[in-house]
Amino acid sequence: MSVVITVMSGAEDGKTFELSKTTFMLGRHPHDDVCLPYDSRVSRHHAQITKKCDSYFIEDVGPNGKGSTNGTYVGEKRIGTTTAIQSGEMILLGSVWIRFEAKAVIPT
């Protein structure tokens, strides 16, 4: 499985990130796997997505693992703990909406 993150709002609307790692970080920091540098409401290390077996989970991490200042939302619901996410779901980080998609990798 690979993951495609599509930015749905903000300065980078339409930008995509294709990732094949089992754990990746989302935030403003240039070393984050999904870097969203143009929104100051996104924490440097805002959220983390992890693949476990065939499922994906998102966690609001923020600085020092204490949670981001502006929260992480799956749809309209603010998450407080590690939360399962499904392909096609919308996630809000700061004021940036992204779409999460898990895609099967077809061997060539």
Side-chain angles (χ1 to χ4, degrees):
M1 298 279 282
S2 70
V3 169
V4 176
I5 301 290
T6 304
V7 179
M8 304 300 290
S9 66
E12 296 185 289
D13 185 15
K15 183 174 183 176
T16 61
F17 299 85
E18 188 158 350
L19 307 156
S20 58
K21 297 167 57 173
T22 57
T23 299
F24 51 92
M25 187 66 65
L26 301 89
R28 281 186 298 126
H29 195 280
H31 292 130
D32 284 352
D33 301 294
V34 176
C35 181
L36 304 167
Y38 299 108
D39 186 338
S40 61
R41 294 189 55 171
V42 174
S43 296
R44 283 176 298 203
H45 304 295
H46 196 104
Q48 178 174 284
I49 294 177
T50 304
K51 179 182 179 189
K52 294 180 185 173
C53 297
D54 287 332
S55 299
Y56 287 90
F57 299 87
I58 189 165
E59 179 181 5
D60 182 50
V61 291
N64 303 316
K66 296 179 182 176
S68 65
T69 303
N70 295 302
T72 298
Y73 294 76
V74 175
E76 299 293 323
K77 183 180 178 189
R78 185 173 183 154
I79 64 169
T81 60
T82 302
T83 301
I85 53 174
Q86 304 297 316
S87 187
E89 285 199 285
M90 298 292 289
I91 298 167
L92 180 64
L93 307 171
S95 60
V96 177
W97 283 101
I98 61 171
R99 183 176 60 230
F100 169 83
E101 294 179 86
K103 299 189 175 216
V105 175
I106 300 169
T108 55

